[in-house]
Each structure stands twice: as C-alpha cells, then as structure tokens.
C-alpha cells in the first residue's frame, strides 16, 4: 500500500490543517507557507499524484476544483481585484506534495512571467 500524502493525512484527520471549505469532492486549506495574502490549496479527495496522471474520467473533478476556486476567491474578497490559479507539476515546477492541488493566490499584484 502506498504511503499517504500529507494532504490525505489531513483529510483523514491524522494531522491538523486549516480547512476553510470542504465538500464531497475536495477540501480547501490555507497554505502553511503563503506566497500572497490569500493562498489557498484546493485539493481533490481522490488521490491523484499530479496533473500528469489525470484522465478523462477526472475532467468533472478538475472542473469542480476551478468552480470552488472561484467561490473561494469571492469569499476571500479577491474576485474583483484578481487572483491566480496554479497547478505545480513535477520537480522543475516545485511540486512538493504529490497529491494534485490547485493553488489560489490573491490579495497582491503579481508579475509576469511568474517564477
């Protein structure tokens, strides 16, 4: 059996996490190392290691993550001023937890290109 990820352990109640939203398909946590005044992680309950492993059957789930991101942006007061959503995939993109998660960042001006 594969070892549980940090996010799976939080979802299972084995570790604490600042959960701000949850539904049947995902949870939303505040990032422990925020890169913006608002930095949330939208995490599917289904353990998908990265964007490289999503399949056609995951299309509805991935779409749901973006709907939740929009809802959280509204709730956090950043929808009008703007925000960024990011999937980091693999070591070059600094993916640190191999459980798919969508970053929602806002509350400050961002530059382009990122990183």
């Amino acid at each position: 059996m594969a070892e549980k990820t940090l996010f799976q352990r939080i979802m299972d109640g084995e570790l604490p996490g600042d959960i701000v939203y949850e539904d049947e398909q995902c949870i939303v946590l505040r990032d422990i190392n925020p890169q913006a005044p608002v930095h949330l992680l939208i995490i599917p309950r289904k353990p998908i290691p990265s964007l490289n492993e999503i399949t056609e059957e995951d299309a509805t789930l991935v779409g749901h993550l973006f709907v939740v991101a929009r809802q959280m942006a509204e709730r956090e007061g950043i929808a009008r001023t703007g925000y960024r959503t990011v999937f980091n995939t693999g070591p070059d993109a600094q993916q640190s937890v191999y459980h798919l998660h969508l970053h929602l960042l806002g509350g400050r001006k961002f530059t382009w290109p990122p990183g």
Side-chain angles (χ1 to χ4, degrees), residues 25-47:
Q25 298 180 69
C26 69
I27 68 166
V28 180
L29 301 173
R30 291 203 186 278
D31 195 294
I32 62 170
N33 184 26
Q35 301 301 304
V38 174
H39 189 169
L40 303 177
L41 306 176
I42 299 105
I43 308 161
R45 291 185 185 277
K46 180 179 179 182

Side-chain angles (χ1 to χ4, degrees), residues 6-7 9-11 13-22 26-34 37-43 72 75-76:
L6 171 69
F7 297 150
R9 293 180 68 201
I10 292 170
M11 284 186 262
E14 296 171 13
L15 292 174
D18 189 357
I19 299 172
V20 297
Y21 174 85
E22 57 185 307
C26 69
I27 68 166
V28 180
L29 301 173
R30 291 203 186 278
D31 195 294
I32 62 170
N33 184 26
V38 174
H39 189 169
L40 303 177
L41 306 176
I42 299 105
I43 308 161
M72 294 299 103
R75 191 164 109 180
E76 295 288 322

Side-chain angles (χ1 to χ4, degrees), residues 94-108:
Q94 301 296 310
Q95 183 178 4
S96 59
V97 178
Y98 282 82
H99 185 133
L100 187 73
H101 54 287
L102 180 63
H103 293 260
L104 171 66
L105 302 112
R108 69 170 173 89

Side-chain angles (χ1 to χ4, degrees), residues 52-104:
N52 286 336
E53 285 79 27
I54 65 167
T55 66
E56 283 293 324
E57 84 174 26
D58 298 317
T60 300
L61 173 60
V62 173
H64 179 70
L65 301 180
F66 282 100
V67 170
V68 170
R70 179 193 54 79
Q71 293 169 343
M72 294 299 103
E74 289 175 0
R75 191 164 109 180
E76 295 288 322
I78 58 172
R80 191 177 57 72
T81 57
Y83 54 94
R84 184 171 285 172
T85 55
V86 178
F87 282 118
N88 293 325
T89 305
D92 284 356
Q94 301 296 310
Q95 183 178 4
S96 59
V97 178
Y98 282 82
H99 185 133
L100 187 73
H101 54 287
L102 180 63
H103 293 260
L104 171 66

